[in-house]
Amino acid sequence: MDAADPTISQLSKDKTLRFAGRLVLSALLAVAAILAPVPVTAAPAAPFGQPPSAATGVDYVPGCPTHPAPGTYTCYSLHRIGLRQPAAAAATPQGYGPAALQSAYALPSSTSGANQTVYIIDAYGYPNAESDLATYRATYGLPVCTTANGCFRKLNQNGLSSPLPAYDAGWAGETALDLDMVSAVCPKCKITLIEANDSGDNLFTAVARATTLGAKYVSMSWGGQETGNEAYYDTTYFNHTGVVYAVSSGDWGYANGVSYPSTSTHTVAVGGTSLVTAATSRGWSETAWGTNWGVGTGSGCSAFVAKPSWQHIIAGSVCAKRAGNDVSAVADPNTGVAVYQRGSMYGDWSVSGGTSAGAPIIAAVFALAGPPFAADHPASYLYAAPAALHDVTTGNNGSCSPNLLCTAATGWDGPTGLGTPSGVTAFRSPQSVSINNPGNQVSSINNPVSLAVTAGRARFPVTFRAFGLPTGLRMSASGVVSGTPTQVSTSAVTVSVTDATPATSSATFTWTVGNAGAFTPVKAFRMLDTRDGTGARRGPVPANGSVAVQVLGRGGVPASGVSAVVVNVTVTNPAGPGYVSVYPDGAAKSVASSLNYVKGQTVPNLVLAPVGTDGKIRLYTYAGADLIADVAGYYLRGVPRVPGTLRPLNPARLLDTRIGTGARAVAVPSNGRLTLQVLGRAGVPQSGVSAVALNVTVTGSRSAGHLTVYPDPVRLPNASNLNFPAGGTVANLVMAPVLNGKVQIFVSGGGGTNVIADVSGFFISGAAAAAGTFTALTPARLLDSRSNTGGLSRPLGNNGTFALKVTGSGGVPGTRVTAVVLNVVAVSATGSGHLTTYSAGVAQPATSNLNFVRGQTVANLVIVPVSTTGLVKLTMNGAGTVGLVADVAGYYHS
């Protein structure tokens, strides 16, 4: 016994007397039904449409045994025997017909339900099922539903049309009730009747067959008392989502206890009401169905089945486990429904009730609402929309404690659940259609667009619409946005989807149209760190191994419309000397390198990386090492035409003095220089180029020094692009202006140094002014802590931060600057650490731009967003102190 459930002890006190009384009552009424044309009652029976009173008697009998043998189940139909009607009365049968039920429950039966199939599960055979159903439907002018037209099927529990089970008069009456109620509520629905071999566990076998046949709505007007084996049955037969299992809760009131499978967590428990006409705006009134004779809707609290999540609105003090019921419908035989069964002991036309009427009614209402979603428990829909039901607040089916389990009340109660149908809103998902937000979009002008927007949840055909699309784009009714943007713009776009119910869902996102090759900086974001599993499997990348990193759709980079990203790549803990190459995923690895390292070294480098068609870049490492990648911004896809836009290239080698590529096969001497032709080589055009992106590497130097790249012919600037130690191999990205098709490379120190240069893109020449375009500058020094240049007069210590004014200096204009390109140098470090550069308008990101160790001087190119006040910040984290130098190489327009 569950101590939290006071109803179980109450049941044990009342069950014996209630159950004995029920047996005597049912036995007397069964005899009366067979031997007399009218019931044997102590008082006149109530006329149709009025619940019995003290002055009237009970004139209905159960269709199935009220105390089934162990291991079997009973149906919950009750049939009035004092209102026998011959076939001649077919024109005006007593009992509620389709029009009354559709009116009482405000159902859209004339417009909904087509192509939906309700499965009815009953025991034993009913040979006249199809012909009796035809009579019922013809009497009420409902559409023909036969085997011939594909509307009606009758199957055995194996899903076959034969052999069918033996006839049973009681269960045949139950089946007639079920068939007629589905027809009354959903005339356009198809019906599949599955007849189990008997009233034992074969009923569950039939349920399983319906599920495997694809059933979405299953009516089950039968049940039995809980046994403690409910978990087995739930797991074996009902452990499915997306299927409505509508189950009657029983006809013998609260005291007889709950009925399984109505208490399954996967079913919809259906209680019963008395339904009468009333002088109200609805035209109807309902009370919980119950009588002084212990007859009435079942309800209560399960002793074994856990409370489903959607029933948590029911307090634990009321019921700690699964509570019945969820919803209800007419069940009182005195306000019952018309049923046709030729030759029935109750008359060809009878008035019937019991909660057996409710299960097919509720299953059919769900069918009118449309299929539940595959992952849903349909009972949960009712709890999400209780206001869309008729709340039944009066009547009871017995006495109990707490009272809510047997007495109707505002909101949920045991006898009637949340209420009875009021249309179909409560029987479909709270959001019957949803839309998948495609996320912010980025496109470039004059480049075709194709974006498919999809519905995430939809029962019915849907239609899409869009508002606020950029000029040149349109959306089809099927959800495809297409066309060619013709104007640079930023638009707030709303897309919506509407189904036939009609239900609507919408999503809003930003659509930016820019110039192909324009750059957008983002707050630095770590996309890869193999040390902790960020962006890839945790652990070092093995020697001659690679890792693919998703970059589109992460860290502020759009999911589409991007040709290349700028990432700061760092290698750490390498097992030996080697290099890293970054290239588009899906492309062949280039011979070009993005950075170089020796065993145990931590080295960063900024990389301009074209993106693969799958939205990824790939990083290859020669020696086993951990890899880190921080994104700094992205370039728009398309053919660049506007001055200052970028055309990314797969990296290609322009210079290698070791073997004579691009220059003589001679090391550059100390204070020597060489001139490198860049236009007309490796994908760079002969003209129309303002700057190139070069990854420059020095190797084999005999002494420490630095290297500067600058346009030809221009005087050597007081700036550097990379610094190197004796014998080191060091790389750095350079944005090098091009004036006459060439750049100059100067090497200070080194004692003879080999130089390598790989091109990864070029910028269109002309006066750049549009948003995202780049203007290259001859390098100029903005910061040097050694000489107080830029306002920094001493090295930075741990957590030290310096705000550098970048606008209005070194050729950078005072306004309309979104980002600057800086070559940052850490000099004379007294300990190990790293440096982070970022916009002064944001918090410090968890990324790094360069790493250093004690005594080292190391440089790295950075592209850093500029705050509205024209500032960038540099923060040092680590031991000791470090001096800083920063040279500007260009800027991006806002």
Side-chain angles (χ1 to χ4, degrees):
M1 183 178 72
D2 188 338
D5 182 4
T7 67
I8 296 176
S9 59
Q10 180 72 29
L11 174 60
S12 66
K13 294 177 182 178
D14 295 345
K15 181 181 294 184
T16 302
L17 292 176
R18 290 288 190 184
F19 192 66
R22 194 187 71 188
L23 286 176
V24 172
L25 175 64
S26 61
L28 290 174
L29 294 181
V31 171
I34 296 171
L35 300 179
V38 294
V40 178
T41 58
F48 170 73
Q50 296 181 21
S53 66
T56 61
V58 173
D59 71 333
Y60 42 81
V61 294
C64 297
T66 57
H67 187 43
T72 64
Y73 301 86
T74 190
C75 68
Y76 291 128
S77 61
L78 297 174
H79 308 278
R80 293 192 66 172
I81 55 177
L83 297 175
R84 287 189 176 93
Q85 301 169 79
T92 56
Q94 295 192 65
Y96 294 136
L101 293 174
Q102 293 168 22
S103 169
Y105 297 131
L107 300 175
S109 302
S110 63
T111 59
S112 300
N115 299 318
Q116 306 302 316
T117 300
V118 178
Y119 285 71
I120 294 171
I121 309 300
D122 283 317
Y124 300 108
Y126 176 18
N128 295 333
E130 185 170 357
S131 60
D132 287 352
L133 176 64
T135 299
Y136 178 88
R137 294 176 74 102
T139 299
Y140 290 108
L142 304 181
V144 174
C145 186
T146 64
T147 301
N149 70 3
C151 174
F152 177 75
R153 288 192 301 171
K154 183 165 63 172
L155 306 173
N156 61 25
Q157 66 187 40
N158 297 318
L160 304 174
S161 57
S162 66
L164 295 170
Y167 172 74
D168 180 271
W171 277 91
E174 169 63 57
T175 306
L177 170 61
D178 294 341
L179 292 170
D180 292 354
M181 288 307 94
V182 171
S183 298
V185 169
C186 187
K188 293 186 176 182
C189 282
K190 298 178 180 180
I191 301 174
T192 295
L193 169 63
I194 300 183
E195 297 177 334
N197 290 345
D198 52 46
S199 59
D201 279 0
N202 281 317
L203 282 165
F204 293 100
T205 300
V207 172
R209 178 61 55 191
T211 306
T212 60
L213 290 174
K216 296 299 181 186
Y217 324 97
V218 181
S219 173
M220 301 157 58
S221 296
W222 44 269
Q225 292 185 335
E226 292 184 330
T227 63
N229 294 322
E230 285 68 31
Y232 165 78
Y233 286 95
D234 266 13
T235 301
T236 305
Y237 300 105
F238 298 111
N239 191 22
H240 303 281
T241 55
V243 183
V244 176
Y245 298 102
V247 186
S248 302
S249 63
D251 295 344
W252 305 105
Y254 171 80
N256 193 52
V258 293
S259 172
Y260 185 84
S262 74
T263 55
S264 168
T265 58
H266 304 289
T267 64
V268 179
V270 183
T273 65
S274 298
L275 173 70
V276 296
T277 58
T280 63
S281 57
R282 178 188 173 192
W284 300 87
S285 176
E286 286 179 280
T287 59
W289 171 46
T291 72
N292 294 330
W293 301 281
V295 179
T297 178
S299 69
C301 186
S302 172
F304 305 104
V305 182
K307 179 182 291 186
S309 60
W310 34 266
Q311 267 204 336
H312 283 311
I313 66 166
I314 302 170
S317 59
V318 173
C319 181
K321 295 187 180 296
R322 169 69 157 113
N325 294 304
D326 299 315
V327 69
S328 51
V330 59
D332 185 350
N334 291 283
T335 67
V337 297
V339 176
Y340 183 80
Q341 184 191 10
R342 186 180 60 191
S344 164
M345 70 178 70
Y346 322 116
D348 290 351
W349 283 96
S350 66
V351 177
S352 300
T355 54
S356 278
I361 287 173
I362 293 303
V365 174
F366 270 104
L368 292 174
F373 294 118
D376 290 350
H377 290 286
S380 66
Y381 298 167
L382 304 166
Y383 290 81
L389 295 163
H390 292 302
D391 191 8
V392 180
T393 59
T394 59
N396 67 80
N397 64 340
S399 60
C400 62
S401 177
N403 202 41
L404 197 60
L405 289 171
C406 63
T407 303
T410 299
W412 183 89
D413 57 73
T416 68
L418 295 163
T420 60
S422 177
V424 298
T425 299
F427 295 83
R428 63 166 62 106
S429 169
Q431 186 176 14
S432 61
V433 63
S434 68
I435 194 166
N436 294 319
N437 193 326
N440 293 340
Q441 298 294 306
V442 174
S443 304
S444 56
I445 61 173
N446 302 319
N447 282 272
V449 165
S450 181
L451 173 69
V453 181
T454 59
R457 294 165 69 97
R459 293 185 180 90
F460 305 104
V462 296
T463 301
F464 290 87
R465 298 181 67 189
F467 307 91
L469 285 171
T471 303
L473 300 185
R474 61 190 178 278
M475 173 178 256
S476 69
S478 63
V480 177
V481 178
S482 60
T484 301
T486 58
Q487 295 180 9
V488 173
S489 63
T490 298
S491 306
V493 177
T494 299
V495 291
S496 66
V497 61
T498 304
D499 68 13
T501 59
T504 299
S505 178
S506 62
T508 300
F509 55 92
T510 298
W511 198 311
T512 301
V513 177
N515 292 299
F519 177 76
T520 300
V522 299
K523 180 182 177 181
F525 174 83
R526 183 143 292 174
M527 290 194 164
L528 173 69
D529 192 336
T530 62
R531 298 172 302 177
D532 60 15
T534 298
R537 183 179 59 85
R538 182 178 179 180
V541 180
N544 292 312
S546 64
V547 59
V549 181
Q550 180 71 39
V551 291
L552 299 195
R554 298 178 63 205
V557 180
S560 61
V562 173
S563 63
V565 290
V566 175
V567 288
N568 193 67
V569 177
T570 303
V571 63
T572 189
N573 303 318
Y579 65 94
V580 171
S581 288
V582 183
Y583 52 98
D585 188 43
K589 186 182 79 69
S590 169
V591 297
S593 63
S594 302
L595 62 85
N596 300 76
Y597 52 80
V598 296
K599 183 178 180 180
Q601 190 179 22
T602 297
V603 181
N605 197 20
L606 197 67
V607 177
L608 176 59
V611 179
T613 56
D614 59 358
K616 299 177 181 179
I617 60 174
R618 185 167 288 274
L619 292 83
Y620 162 89
T621 179
Y622 180 79
D626 279 306
L627 299 177
I628 303 165
D630 302 326
V631 68
Y634 60 88
Y635 289 93
L636 293 185
R637 185 175 57 200
V639 178
R641 294 184 176 89
V642 175
T645 54
L646 172 77
R647 172 70 180 272
L649 300 170
N650 285 335
R653 186 142 292 175
L654 294 182
L655 173 69
D656 190 340
T657 61
R658 297 172 302 177
I659 59 174
T661 299
R664 289 188 307 122
V666 176
V668 180
S670 296
N671 297 318
R673 72 187 69 198
L674 60 81
T675 301
L676 176 65
Q677 178 72 36
V678 293
L679 299 194
R681 301 179 61 204
V684 181
Q686 293 277 6
S687 61
V689 176
S690 63
V692 289
L694 299 175
N695 193 64
V696 179
T697 306
V698 297
T699 185
S701 60
R702 297 178 182 177
S703 61
H706 69 267
L707 177 146
T708 302
V709 182
Y710 56 103
D712 179 66
V714 170
R715 174 184 286 186
L716 174 67
N718 179 29
S720 65
N721 294 105
L722 63 84
N723 298 71
F724 53 85
T729 298
V730 179
N732 201 11
L733 185 65
V734 178
M735 302 293 195
V738 178
L739 297 180
N740 64 355
K742 303 175 183 179
V743 296
Q744 295 189 71
I745 300 175
F746 171 78
V747 179
S748 173
T753 303
N754 281 305
V755 181
I756 303 163
D758 300 322
V759 65
S760 56
F762 62 89
F763 295 89
I764 306 299
S765 64
T773 58
F774 177 67
T775 295
L777 300 172
T778 300
R781 185 143 295 176
L782 299 184
L783 175 71
D784 191 337
S785 62
R786 299 168 300 181
S787 60
N788 197 25
T789 300
L792 181 62
S793 60
R794 62 183 182 277
L796 289 182
N798 185 36
N799 295 321
T801 297
F802 179 73
L804 174 66
K805 179 76 169 179
V806 293
T807 55
S809 301
V812 181
T815 59
R816 297 195 63 234
V817 175
T818 185
V820 290
V821 179
L822 299 176
N823 193 65
V824 179
V825 186
V827 297
S828 304
T830 62
S832 298
H834 67 268
L835 187 77
T836 302
T837 61
Y838 54 101
S839 169
V842 300
Q844 180 184 351
T847 58
S848 64
N849 297 104
L850 62 85
N851 300 72
F852 51 84
V853 296
R854 181 177 180 179
Q856 186 180 26
T857 295
V858 60
N860 198 24
L861 195 72
V862 301
I863 298 178
V864 56
V866 177
S867 72
T868 56
T869 57
L871 299 174
V872 300
K873 284 186 176 180
L874 300 93
T875 297
M876 180 274 204
N877 292 108
T881 62
V882 65
L884 296 179
V885 175
D887 300 325
V888 65
Y891 62 92
Y892 289 91
H893 296 263
S894 63

